[in-house]
Structures are given as C-alpha cells and as structure tokens.
Amino acid sequence: MPLRCMATPAAMPSASKPNIGVYCNPEHKLWVEESGPSVEDVKTGSLLKEGEVTIGVKTTGICGYAIIMQPPLLERSSRDAQSSDVHFWRHGRIGPMVVEHDHILGHESAGEILAVHPSVKTLKVGDRVAVEPSQICNKCEPCLTGRYNGCLEMQFMSTPPVHGLLRRYVNHPAIWCHKIGNMSYEDGAMLEPLSVSLAGMDRAKVALGDPVLICGAGPIGLMTLLCCAAAGAEPIVITDIDQARLDVAKEICPRVRTYKVQPGVSMEDAGAAMSKLAGGHLTTALECSGVESSINAAIYAMKFGGKVFVIGVGKPEMKIPFMRLSTQEIDLQFQYRYSNTWPRAIRLVESGVLDMKRLVTHRFDLENAVKAFETSADSAKTGAIKVLIQSEI
C-alpha cells in the first residue's frame, strides 16, 4: 500500500489558494502564472516523496543587484552575492548556469509546513521553517567531509535547471527545512543571505579586533557589516558608489568608516584611501560585489600578509595585480554559497545578536512579483536594499 501524507487537522493550516510562481525565460521575460504542486496535490500529498514536506511559502527575498555604470573604477555595483534572481532574469545566466527554459526564481524563503510524508519524523504540520535551498547527493567527497556546498551533484533551488522557491507551495526535503519557532517569516527568509555572510566570516577567520574592509554596501555587504560588528572587528571600513547605501551602513553600525568610490580614481589610489581611512592597518577585505576593479582596489588596500576574501560573484575572467599579491604576500580567497550555517544564523537572530529588519525596504504580494523585481533591479532610483515577496496560503 502506498504511503500517504500526514492528514491535516482542521485547526491546522491548509492550502486554499491556487499555486502560482514567478518565472523568467531565455528571452528575459518575467511573469507570474500557475505552478506546481497544485492545491489539490498539496491537500492529498500525492506528490510527496520519501523524506519530503510541503511548505506554504510565506516570505521570499529577491536576490538581486543593480547595474550602475561608473567607469573606470567601478564598471558596476553588485547588489548581491552568490546567486542572483535579478541576474538570471536580466541576463539569463551566471557563468555556466544558464536559463534555457521557463524557469522559477527564488531561493530565500520561509514558510509553514502544510503536509509531511510519513517517513518524516522531525517536522509536523504547522511548524514554521526557513528553507535551505540545497539538495545534495550525500555521497561525494565534499558532502562526506561536511563541505556540501561543493557537492558534485548539487541541485540548488533557483539555479537552472532546478526551479526555485518563489511560489505559493513547494515540496522540499525535510532535512533542509530549519525550524524557526516564533521568528518572523521575514527574518526566516533573511537567514539565507545571512548564511552567505556567516560563511565568509568563518572562512576569512575574522576575529575580535581585526581591521576589516567590506567592499559593497548592498544586502550582502550590509549583512556582512552586521556580522563583523557583532564579532568585534575594529576598525571597519565599508565602500560603495551609492551614498544612500553608505548612510544605511552608518545607521546600522555607527562606528563604521565609509568610503564613497568616485569615478576616475585609480584602483591604487582608491586602495590607498581605504587603507588611510583605517589608519593603514587593514588586514582583511570581505569583497561583496564581485566587481573586478573593486577586488583590485581591495588588494591595494591590504597591508603585507593581508587577505582579500571574495564573497561576490563576478564575470568569468578578470585581470588582477599579480605582483602586488605576490610581493605583499596577500592571499586571494573565494567563496561559493555556504554549508552548516543555518543553525548558527538562527541562534544569532533569535537571541537578538543580529537585527536585520532595517535592511528590508520594500514588500510586495506574490501576485505583484514583477513590480517587486523591477523595484529591486532599479535600486538606484527606488532605494531598495532587500525586497520581500509575501504570500497567503
């Protein structure tokens, strides 16, 4: 006899509205239309596989950045790192990850459990969860050594060809659904970008009293600023081409030192100015834009023996000042997503160590997702930092 999903008691949440999702395609169109699983499938649990649950997605953040021309120092200002919904929509690819068909976006989500497969013992209907958007093989060396972000068979939600979380209902492995208790769904959705920052902090080994440079004051850069401040880094310098973003940085961390990147300034001069702002002692840069000129300016800002840790995603090939790295023994290191960060992120938010609420600037209903994306993509005009899409189930 086939296994059935756990019945949903009358007092528990249940699916009532049609499932819709946010799609893009290779022609760079963006739209909202019917998606799966259907509301009938959710109610019966007929599509749940072993180990899966159905989530009623309540809040999803848009991962995106604006493109702002500012030659010659900054060719663009990156507004997010790791995987960008806006980039898949606007450009159809990030490196080798290409949108080839109609594709559902979204990987920063939190919601409510609506159904569980009988094999799932860790979650129940009504639990509030944040969704880690990874699905791994548990067989390859990265998985077996705990660095599952390097899984050789990774299926990451919203990275083509794997559909994302920006829909009303989604089935997902229970093991990647983290309980958030009474945490708001907004904070739950923000755990994903927070995980990006925590992974960078961990691998860059930022410690109490370390002088740190943060390049880029977009959502990831500002999240990283919160983490560095909580970790006791001092001094902290943050850069951006947008004064409004730097003002937000000063608001959430009054002791941060801000540097507005100006067009026409060389990478060497920009790096020297950043170093001077910190008293000449910068030892670690957390580069959150992925922009070539920003990475190179960070390299010039480091003292002998420093480290430039690149969190941001950039173009496939870049030129770097090799001899500056070599003669100054500056380490250049990179990050790809995250692993084992969610429990730590939940503790930091639940305890109040980190307060991410100021980073949320706009909220839209799922039905108005196209407007939400336009707002996120045009942040220079809208002032958007983190745009959230909300849904009723």
Side-chain angles (χ1 to χ4, degrees), residues 75-260:
E75 56 270 20
R76 60 182 172 86
S77 176
S78 180
R79 296 308 190 198
D80 228 352
Q82 301 308 308
S83 177
S84 171
D85 297 320
V86 170
H87 208 75
F88 281 133
W89 162 40
R90 286 282 184 86
H91 302 279
R93 69 184 301 156
I94 296 177
M97 299 167 282
V98 181
V99 176
E100 297 180 338
H101 308 284
D102 291 355
H103 180 65
I104 300 175
L105 297 166
H107 58 271
E108 305 177 5
S109 297
E112 195 170 21
I113 301 297
L114 299 181
V116 301
H117 188 277
S119 60
V120 175
K121 307 301 181 185
T122 56
L123 293 172
K124 64 183 184 299
V125 173
D127 281 344
R128 301 159 61 90
V129 297
V131 184
E132 185 170 353
S134 304
Q135 297 183 48
I136 64 174
C137 72
N138 274 313
K139 298 176 182 178
C140 66
E141 182 178 346
C143 285
L144 295 177
T145 55
R147 298 183 66 183
Y148 59 81
N149 54 314
C151 175
L152 301 180
E153 299 180 22
M154 170 67 77
Q155 296 188 54
F156 192 87
M157 308 292 281
S158 83
T159 296
V162 183
H163 284 312
L165 298 170
L166 248 176
R167 35 189 157 159
R168 184 166 278 130
Y169 314 116
V170 65
N171 295 339
H172 197 64
I175 193 172
W176 300 117
C177 297
H178 302 272
K179 293 181 183 180
I180 59 173
N182 294 323
M183 183 187 301
S184 72
Y185 291 121
E186 291 194 358
D187 278 345
M190 298 276 278
L191 294 175
E192 198 279 343
L194 175 56
S195 284
V196 173
S197 295
L198 290 178
M201 292 276 293
D202 183 52
R203 293 195 60 229
K205 302 187 185 307
V206 174
L208 187 70
D210 281 354
V212 173
L213 170 67
I214 300 170
C215 298
I220 296 296
L222 293 172
M223 197 81 75
T224 301
L225 171 60
L226 289 173
C227 293
C228 286
E234 176 62 27
I236 307 173
V237 176
I238 191 167
T239 73
D240 205 276
I241 63 173
D242 186 342
Q243 184 60 48
R245 293 288 178 108
L246 295 176
D247 292 343
V248 173
K250 198 73 174 176
E251 181 181 339
I252 64 174
C253 180
R255 63 184 174 87
V256 72
R257 307 175 189 188
T258 62
Y259 176 80
K260 184 179 180 183

Side-chain angles (χ1 to χ4, degrees), residues 66-72 74-77 241 263:
I67 307 265
I68 302 175
M69 302 306 295
Q70 287 279 22
L74 284 187
E75 56 270 20
R76 60 182 172 86
S77 176
I241 63 173

Side-chain angles (χ1 to χ4, degrees), residues 273-297:
M274 296 170 193
S275 177
K276 183 178 180 180
L277 197 57
H281 302 300
L282 286 168
T283 59
T284 303
L286 297 171
E287 212 297 318
C288 299
S289 76
V291 175
E292 178 180 314
S293 54
S294 180
I295 294 170
N296 290 341

Side-chain angles (χ1 to χ4, degrees), residues 55-69:
I55 306 149
V57 179
K58 301 289 284 186
T59 302
T60 300
I62 295 178
C63 175
Y65 59 72
I67 307 265
I68 302 175
M69 302 306 295

Side-chain angles (χ1 to χ4, degrees), residues 15-24 31-40 42 55-60 103-106 109 114 163-171 364-370 373 389-393:
S16 60
K17 295 188 176 184
N19 196 4
I20 56 176
V22 183
Y23 292 80
C24 68
W31 72 98
V32 178
E33 72 171 24
E34 184 178 340
S35 179
S38 70
V39 66
E40 291 77 17
V42 173
I55 306 149
V57 179
K58 301 289 284 186
T59 302
T60 300
H103 180 65
I104 300 175
L105 297 166
S109 297
L114 299 181
H163 284 312
L165 298 170
L166 248 176
R167 35 189 157 159
R168 184 166 278 130
Y169 314 116
V170 65
N171 295 339
F364 293 86
D365 293 334
L366 181 59
E367 291 80 1
N368 295 321
V370 172
F373 270 78
I389 296 176
Q390 301 170 321
S391 175
E392 295 298 325
I393 58 177

